Amino acid sequence: MNKNDYMRYKLMMRPDLEQTRAKVKESPDDPDLWYELGMALSNSGDNEAAVDAFSKGISLSPFDPYLYFARGRKQNASGRFWPAISDLTLATRLDNTLWSFYYYRATAYSLEGYYEEACEDFKACIRIADDWECCPMVHWLFTTYLLELNDRKRAAEALKLIPTDIVPPQMDYGYHRCFLLYNGIISPDEFVNIPDMEEKCLKQPNRINLELNTMYYGLFAYSVYTGDEERANYALSQLLKVAIPQAFGYKKGIVFAKQRGLA
């Protein structure tokens, strides 16, 4: 397993909470088990307890980049963006070869309003990652340049950073659909296809709604790009219906929904 595959494994862990608690009780000085417990707590919706678990792991292994990464993600999800940036920066200092560290720091920068810094991190990801992993970065570059930096030229240039015929990982279903939409490969009318999502998305609770948070924000951006204001408002109204508050797409979209009087 290469490093990025291992990172993906760490990111997608779904450990059983009670079993993991039992393992921690037996081996309380094992930082890997505190990481596992943090992931189990996070998956159960308890972000604060997850942060505490990752912090305990850090106290046992203060040079483990994965623990800083994990805590930074949860700080980000809780709206504590500068603590998130701090943790994720330290993760990049401990290992500058994993694009996931830069990716999540980029989201924290973006949510704090540091859009150029966010774009630099997304571009750093693309330099490190393989093309087939890069739909999320291109999506966020396109939407950030277009919607928040009002730079249509750089938004268009972002779409050329990777080939259009890539086959992405299953977890990037929504980002890949956005990438195809922005490049004119699929139309807005065929963009959201629930039967296709049910077949191809990760089989996890609420995964389709999570993908839809990304996709409706992407549809909003595309509609702004093409000047279709009616569809732009429709996309935001649909985003509000499938809202997952911790989703990056929702956090970005709700700002524009409020500006337009939709929320």
Side-chain angles (χ1 to χ4, degrees), residues 59-157:
S59 74
L60 296 167
S61 183
F63 301 105
D64 184 328
Y66 296 102
L67 285 163
Y68 287 103
F69 164 73
R71 189 173 70 177
R73 282 184 66 231
K74 294 299 102 181
Q75 298 280 30
N76 197 6
S78 299
R80 296 186 289 268
F81 304 128
W82 281 115
I85 291 165
S86 176
D87 276 342
L88 292 162
T89 297
L90 189 46
T92 68
R93 296 292 193 272
L94 292 168
D95 190 333
N96 65 3
T97 67
L98 287 167
W99 63 261
S100 295
F101 296 173
Y102 293 94
Y103 179 84
Y104 282 94
R105 187 174 69 174
T107 67
Y109 271 136
S110 180
L111 290 166
E112 190 62 32
Y114 284 71
Y115 303 121
E116 291 287 1
E117 289 83 354
C119 287
E120 287 305 308
D121 270 357
F122 286 130
K123 287 187 285 188
C125 293
I126 292 173
R127 289 192 295 271
I128 297 170
D130 294 323
D131 286 343
W132 59 274
E133 300 175 295
C134 291
C135 285
M137 298 72 126
V138 171
H139 164 77
W140 291 118
L141 284 169
F142 176 79
T143 57
T144 303
Y145 284 136
L146 176 69
L147 299 172
E148 287 154 330
L149 292 172
N150 194 29
D151 191 332
R152 294 176 66 88
K153 181 175 183 292
R154 285 198 288 174
E157 289 171 349

